[in-house]
C-alpha cells in the first residue's frame, strides 16, 4: 500500500527521494511527504500527487544528505495534510510507516498520560512518540527503535530519522515489505526495488523483525533481541527500462500488450520440452505432490479469479477435488483441515497481508503441503511456502492487474498438468497435446490483441453506461468475474458477473436497453446452453456484446454485437478471452477520463487487512 523511500549519502538526497516516490506511485496513495535532516528537521507534506510535493520542495529549496519520504494510502484518519507522513515527535524525530499498529490505542493512552500530545488521527504517530520515549534512556536511535518495535502488535515497515542523529537512518520491518539498497558511500531503503533502480541494483531483503542502522558507508542489522544478523545481498534483475512507460499512454496499456511475452517467459521451461516434470514447482515437489489428495487455493481479488478458473482445470484434468477460498475470510471461519491437501497461495506482490495470514493459518492447522505462486521472488509469501513458482510477468505498475493474472493462469495450468501426470490421469499423447497448446499460447495472445480497434468501438458505447452485466459458463465464468472487476476498477462503471445459467434466476430483471450484457461465448460443450441464455437477453430488449470464437455459429443481428476471436483453444480458452475484457475496461476508462493507472481509493499492493 503506502510507499517508503529513505536515503543517507554525501549528495543531496531530495531528488532521489522524490524520484523514488514517483516510482512507487503505482501502489496507490492519497498524500505524500518528505522529511530532511539538515541543521534541523525540515518536513513537507501534501495531499494529492507526488508532483505537488516536488513543487513544494523546489519552492522551499529543501536539501540535505539524510531523509525519508512517503506516499500514504489512508487507513487511520482521513486523507489530509495533518494525517500525511512523515509524523514527528520531540527533538526533531520523524517517522514514515507502512502497515497497521493494532495496539495503537493502548499505547496512545499510555503516552498521553506521560504528557505526549497527538496532532493526527493516525496509528503511526504513536510509533514516533514511543521511539522518542525510549530515546532518552537508550541514548541511541537504533536501540530506541528496537525497544519500540518489541512493544508493537500488527504489521509495520518504518523508517526513522532524528536531528540529534544526523549520521544515521534506522528502519525496521514486520509483516510489511521493506528492503535496503547499497551504494558506494550511500545507502537507501524502500518498499520496492523499483524505487531504487535509479541509484543501485544491490538489494538486501529484510526478514521479519529486522531492525537496521544505515550509515553512509555501512549498515548493521539486528533482530528483536538485539543480536547482530546477516542478510544476503542480491543483485536485482529488474532494469530501469522495465518500469518505464515507453511508447504507451498508460502502464495498463503497456502491461496488456506485454502479456504474450510475459506468458512465454512464465512457461519458458516447457517451450522446448517433451514432458512436464514436478520439479518446475521446487526440488521437493515430486514427493510433496505425490501424497496430495485435494487442493485448496487461497487468494484475493484478481488472484482469486485465477484460482476459480484453476478449479475447473484441476478437477477436470487432474481429478482432484479443489476449493477456492477468499483469503480475507478463510482464517475467520471454522474449517475442516486436511493434512494431505495442497494449499496454494496466489499473490502478484507476495505481500498481500490477507493471503499471507491465510497461508500461515492453514499451516497452523497442520496443512504443511504449501505452494506459493507469485511475481516477486523475494516476497514474504514465497518465503512462507514449501514449494514456489515464480510467474515472470515483470514489474506490474498499473493498479488493475493484467499480465500478473494471465501468468498466474498459465502457471496454474502447468500445475494442473503436473498433478494430472502424478495421479496417472495424463497420457503421453495428452501431455504432448497440452505442451503444444502452451507453445502456441503466446502467438494466440498476440492474435487476440490485434482486435483492439474493434474493442475500442464497444468502449465508445459503454462509456455512457452506468451498469453492465458479464456472463460466462464453466471455466469462463471466473473470466466474466474478472472482466466485471476490471471495468469497475478503472472506469467506475458498476458491473456484475454471473454464470449465464443464473440469468433467469434474478439478474434478468435488470436487463433493458440501458444495461449492456457482455457474454463470453467460446465454442465449447456449453455453447448451445449459452445461446439460449443470450436469447433471453435479446427477448427483453437488452443489447448483447459477445466474444465468440471464430468457429462458433453465433451471428450478429439487431442488438447483438460480435467480436470474433481465434478458433477455440480448448482448456486455454479462458486465458485468451481475458484480453478483450481488459482492453474494454481500459478504453472505456479512457473515454470517461478516469485515472487509469491509479484508480481512486485503490492500492496496488494491499499490505494491510
Amino acid at each position: 500500500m503506502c510507499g517508503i523511500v529513505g536515503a543517507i549519502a554525501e549528495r543531496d538526497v531530495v531528488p532521489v527521494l522524490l524520484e523514488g516516490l514517483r516510482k512507487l506511485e503505482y501502489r496507490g496513495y492519497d498524500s505524500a511527504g518528505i522529511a530532511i535532516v539538515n541543521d534541523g528537521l525540515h518536513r513537507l507534506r501534501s495531499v494529492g500527487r507526488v508532483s505537488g510535493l516536488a513543487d513544494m520542495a523546489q519552492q522551499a529549496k529543501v536539501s540535505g544528505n539524510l531523509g525519508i519520504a512517503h506516499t500514504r494510502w489512508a487507513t487511520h484518519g482521513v486523507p489530509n495534510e495533518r494525517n500525511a507522513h512523515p509524523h514527528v515527535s520531540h527533538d526533531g524525530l520523524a517517522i514514515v510507516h507502512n502497515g497497521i499498529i493494532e495496539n495503537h490505542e493502548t499505547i496512545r493512552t499510555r503516552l498521553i498520560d506521560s504528557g505526549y500530545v497527538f496532532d493526527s488521527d493516525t496509528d503511526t504517530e504513536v510509533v514516533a512518540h514511543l521511539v522518542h520515549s525510549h530515546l532518552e534512556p537508550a541514548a541511541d536511535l537504533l536501540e530506541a527503535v528496537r525497544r519500540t518495535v518489541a512493544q508493537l502488535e500488527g504489521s509495520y515497515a518504518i523508517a526513522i530519522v532524528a536531528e540529534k542523529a544526523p549520521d544515521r537512518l534506522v528502519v525496521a520491518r514486520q509483516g510489511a515489505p521493506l528492503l535496503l539498497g547499497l551504494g558506494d558511500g550511500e545507502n537507501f531503503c524502500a518498499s520496492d526495488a523499483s524505487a531504487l533502480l535509479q541509484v543501485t541494483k544491490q538489494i538486501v531483503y529484510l526478514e521479519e523483525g529486522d531492525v537496521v542502522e544505515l550509515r553512509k558507508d555501512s549498515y548493521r542489522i539486528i533482530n528483536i533481541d538485539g543480536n547482530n544478523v546477516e542478510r544476503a545481498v542480491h543483485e536485482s534483475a529488474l532494469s530501469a527500462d522495465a518500469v518505464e512507460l515507453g511508447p504507451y499512454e498508460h502502464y495498463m496499456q503497456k502491461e496488456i500488450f506485454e502479456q504474450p511475452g510475459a506468458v512465454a517467459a512464465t512457461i519458458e521451461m516447457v517451450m522446448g520440452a517433451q514432458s512436464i516434470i514436478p520439479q518446475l514447482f521446487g526440488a521437493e515437489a515430486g514427493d510433496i505432490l505425490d501424497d496430495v489428495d485435494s487442493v485448496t487455493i487461497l487468494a484475493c481479488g484478481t488472484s482469486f479469479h485465477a484460482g476459480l478458473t484453476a478449479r475447473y482445470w484441476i478437477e477436470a484434468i487432474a481429478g482432484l477435488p479443489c476449493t477456492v477460498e477468499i483469503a480475507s475470510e478463510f482464517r475467520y471461519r471454522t474449517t475442516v483441515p486436511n493434512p494431505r491437501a495442497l494449499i496454494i497461495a496466489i499473490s502478484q506482490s507476495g505481500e498481500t497481508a490477507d493471503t499471507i495470514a491465510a497461508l500461515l493459518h492453514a499451516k497452523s492447522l497442520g496443512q504443511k503441503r504449501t505452494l506459493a505462486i507469485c511475481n516477486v521472488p523475494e516476497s514474504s509469501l514465497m518465503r512462507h511456502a514449501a514449494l514456489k513458482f515464480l510467474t515472470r510477468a515483470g514489474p506490474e505498475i498499473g493498479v488493475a492487474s493484467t499480465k500478473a493474472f494471465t501468468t498466474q493462469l498459465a502457471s496454474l495450468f502447468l500445475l494442473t498438468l503436473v498433478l494430472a501426470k502424478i495421479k496417472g490421469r495424463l497420457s503421453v499423447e495428452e501431455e504432448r497435446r497440452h505442451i503444444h497448446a502452451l507453445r502456441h499460447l503466446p502467438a494466440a495472445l498476440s492474435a487476440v490483441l490485434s482486435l483492439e480497434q474493434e474493442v475500442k468501438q464497444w468502449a465508445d458505447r459503454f462509456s455512457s453506461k452506468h451498469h453492465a452485466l458479464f456472463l460466462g459458463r464453466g471455466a469462463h465464468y471466473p473470466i466474466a468475474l474478472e472482466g466485471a472487476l476490471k471495468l469497475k476498477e478503472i472506469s467506475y462503471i458498476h458491473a456484475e458477473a454471473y454464470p449465464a445459467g443464473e440469468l433467469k434466476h434474478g439478474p434478468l430483471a435488470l436487463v433493458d436497453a440501458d444495461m449492456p450484457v457482455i457474454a463470453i461465448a467460446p465454442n465449447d460443450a456449453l455453447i448451445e446452453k449459452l445461446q439460449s441464455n443470450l436469447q433471453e437477453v435479446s427477448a427483453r430488449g437488452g443489447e448483447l456484446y459477445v466474444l465468440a470464437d471464430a468457429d462458433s455459429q453465433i451471428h450478429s443481428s439487431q442488438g447483438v454485437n460480435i467480436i470474433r476471436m481465434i478458433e477455440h483453444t480448448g482448456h486455454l480458452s479462458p486465458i485468451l478471452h481475458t484480453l478483450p475484457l481488459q482492453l474494454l475496461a481500459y478504453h472505456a476508462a479512457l473515454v470517461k477520463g478516469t485515472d487509469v493507472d491509479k484508480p481512486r481509493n485503490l492500492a496496488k499492493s494491499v499490505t494491510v487487512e
Side-chain angles (χ1 to χ4, degrees):
M1 286 231 177
C2 310
I4 291 174
V5 187
I8 181 167
E10 294 289 350
R11 57 172 157 164
D12 179 17
V13 299
V14 172
V16 174
L17 297 176
L18 292 173
E19 181 60 24
L21 291 187
R22 291 187 186 98
K23 292 294 188 279
L24 295 179
E25 286 189 290
Y26 74 93
R27 296 170 71 94
Y29 69 103
D30 43 56
S31 59
I34 188 170
I36 299 296
V37 175
N38 185 2
D39 293 328
L41 183 73
H42 307 276
R43 177 177 62 157
L44 298 172
R45 298 181 293 175
S46 171
V47 176
R49 296 303 180 204
V50 171
S51 58
L53 179 66
D55 291 341
M56 292 175 63
Q58 184 176 23
Q59 293 170 10
K61 298 181 179 179
V62 175
S63 65
N65 52 28
L66 171 63
I68 51 178
H70 190 265
T71 51
R72 175 180 186 253
W73 190 84
T75 53
H76 293 75
V78 300
N80 57 23
E81 185 176 328
R82 67 187 291 268
N83 288 327
H85 298 214
H87 289 286
V88 299
S89 188
H90 304 288
D91 301 320
L93 183 147
I95 180 174
V96 293
H97 164 231
N98 183 14
I100 290 179
I101 307 303
E102 295 175 356
N103 60 337
H104 71 98
E105 291 184 353
T106 302
I107 299 173
R108 181 188 293 261
T109 299
R110 190 166 71 246
L111 288 168
I112 290 174
D113 291 342
S114 299
Y116 285 93
V117 176
F118 285 79
D119 297 322
S120 75
D121 306 313
T122 70
D123 54 338
T124 302
E125 192 178 2
V126 165
V127 185
H129 292 318
L130 190 58
V131 172
H132 181 267
S133 73
H134 287 299
L135 191 54
E136 191 63 33
D140 178 81
L141 186 58
L142 178 66
E143 177 61 16
V145 173
R146 188 195 68 80
R147 294 185 186 185
T148 294
V149 298
Q151 297 178 255
L152 301 181
E153 297 174 7
S155 63
Y156 57 80
I158 57 178
I160 300 172
V161 295
E163 61 180 69
K164 289 188 174 181
D167 59 345
R168 69 200 69 182
L169 163 65
V170 176
V171 306
R173 84 168 290 260
Q174 177 72 42
L178 194 67
L179 51 86
L180 310 180
L182 308 181
D184 184 9
E186 54 188 18
N187 287 308
F188 312 90
C189 70
S191 304
D192 190 311
S194 62
L196 300 182
L197 293 178
Q198 54 167 321
V199 288
T200 183
K201 298 186 75 172
Q202 299 300 304
I203 303 297
V204 175
Y205 295 96
L206 299 180
E207 301 282 346
E208 300 289 296
D210 283 353
V211 185
V212 186
E213 180 184 79
L214 289 165
R215 296 175 181 253
K216 293 176 183 177
D217 53 4
S218 65
Y219 67 97
R220 176 190 175 200
I221 306 176
I222 61 174
N223 60 22
I224 202 73
D225 298 319
N227 300 317
N228 290 329
V229 293
E230 299 290 333
R231 303 293 180 223
V233 179
H234 303 265
E235 182 164 349
S236 175
L238 296 177
S239 68
D241 291 342
V243 293
E244 295 298 333
L245 193 55
Y248 295 95
E249 189 172 351
H250 297 92
Y251 280 106
M252 184 177 180
Q253 182 189 31
K254 174 178 184 274
E255 288 153 10
I256 288 173
F257 278 86
E258 286 177 338
Q259 285 175 109
V263 168
T266 298
I267 61 175
E268 179 183 12
M269 62 287 294
V270 300
M271 296 294 273
Q274 297 299 315
S275 62
I276 303 287
I277 59 172
Q279 286 71 28
L280 294 171
F281 294 87
E284 300 177 351
D287 293 335
I288 291 175
L289 298 179
D290 183 57
D291 196 39
V292 163
D293 67 0
S294 63
V295 175
T296 298
I297 298 175
L298 308 173
C300 299
T302 287
S303 297
F304 176 69
H305 297 156
L308 289 176
T309 307
R311 179 176 64 184
Y312 289 91
W313 292 334
I314 291 169
E315 294 194 340
I317 301 174
L320 290 173
C322 179
T323 59
V324 187
E325 299 272 359
I326 295 176
S328 59
E329 292 289 321
F330 177 68
R331 65 188 173 120
Y332 295 113
R333 69 177 183 86
T334 302
T335 58
V336 181
N338 174 9
R340 292 184 62 193
L342 174 65
I343 306 298
I344 305 174
I346 311 173
S347 167
Q348 186 282 135
S349 67
E351 303 295 347
T352 307
D354 288 319
T355 304
I356 294 171
L359 175 63
L360 295 177
H361 177 66
K363 291 172 67 174
S364 75
L365 297 176
Q367 297 175 289
K368 305 298 185 184
R369 294 167 172 82
T370 57
L371 164 66
I373 295 177
C374 180
N375 194 41
V376 181
E378 297 295 336
S379 62
S380 299
L381 189 70
M382 296 287 255
R383 291 196 294 270
H384 287 305
L387 302 178
K388 306 166 180 60
F389 189 91
L390 179 66
T391 59
R392 300 185 182 276
E396 189 179 65
I397 307 301
V399 166
S401 182
T402 52
K403 61 179 180 174
F405 179 63
T406 48
T407 54
Q408 287 170 356
L409 290 174
S411 63
L412 286 163
F413 190 76
L414 278 179
L415 176 65
T416 299
L417 298 183
V418 167
L419 290 170
K421 188 172 182 179
I422 287 176
K423 300 304 177 183
R425 293 178 57 92
L426 191 68
S427 69
V428 173
E429 182 181 343
E430 289 171 328
E431 182 179 11
R432 288 175 179 171
R433 187 170 67 249
H434 286 308
I435 291 174
H436 176 76
L438 283 169
R439 287 175 185 154
H440 182 64
L441 182 58
L445 289 168
S446 295
V448 174
L449 288 172
S450 69
L451 301 171
E452 183 181 24
Q453 292 305 313
E454 294 179 61
V455 177
K456 285 176 67 174
Q457 293 176 14
W458 282 12
D460 290 338
R461 301 168 70 175
F462 265 74
S463 60
S464 62
K465 305 299 183 182
H466 299 287
H467 309 277
L469 285 178
F470 287 71
L471 303 178
R473 297 205 71 143
H476 294 81
Y477 164 53
I479 304 306
L481 286 168
E482 177 63 12
L485 176 61
K486 286 293 158 283
L487 194 66
K488 282 183 281 195
E489 281 181 309
I490 62 169
S491 75
Y492 314 147
I493 296 172
H494 171 244
E496 296 184 52
Y498 290 92
E502 283 294 292
L503 194 62
K504 55 185 173 291
H505 296 290
L508 197 58
L510 296 171
V511 172
D512 60 20
D514 293 322
M515 175 71 80
V517 178
I518 304 94
I520 305 171
N523 192 25
D524 59 13
L526 293 172
I527 186 64
E528 291 184 3
K529 297 288 187 184
L530 181 63
Q531 284 177 305
S532 297
N533 303 139
L534 301 186
Q535 289 170 0
E536 294 170 352
V537 174
S538 295
R540 272 75 179 179
E543 184 157 13
L544 281 162
Y545 295 82
V546 184
L547 293 171
D549 287 344
D551 48 356
S552 73
Q553 297 303 308
I554 298 177
H555 302 290
S556 299
S557 62
Q558 181 66 34
V560 180
N561 308 281
I562 293 181
I563 289 179
R564 294 280 176 194
M565 303 275 289
I566 62 174
E567 291 187 356
H568 184 54
T569 52
H571 289 294
L572 296 178
S573 175
I575 302 178
L576 296 171
H577 279 83
T578 296
L579 272 61
L581 300 180
Q582 295 172 347
L583 288 168
L584 178 63
Y586 172 72
H587 285 290
L590 282 188
V591 176
K592 288 178 66 69
T594 62
D595 192 340
V596 172
D597 288 331
K598 297 182 282 291
R600 66 191 182 198
N601 303 333
L602 298 180
K604 180 64 176 175
S605 180
V606 185
T607 57
V608 297
E609 286 192 67

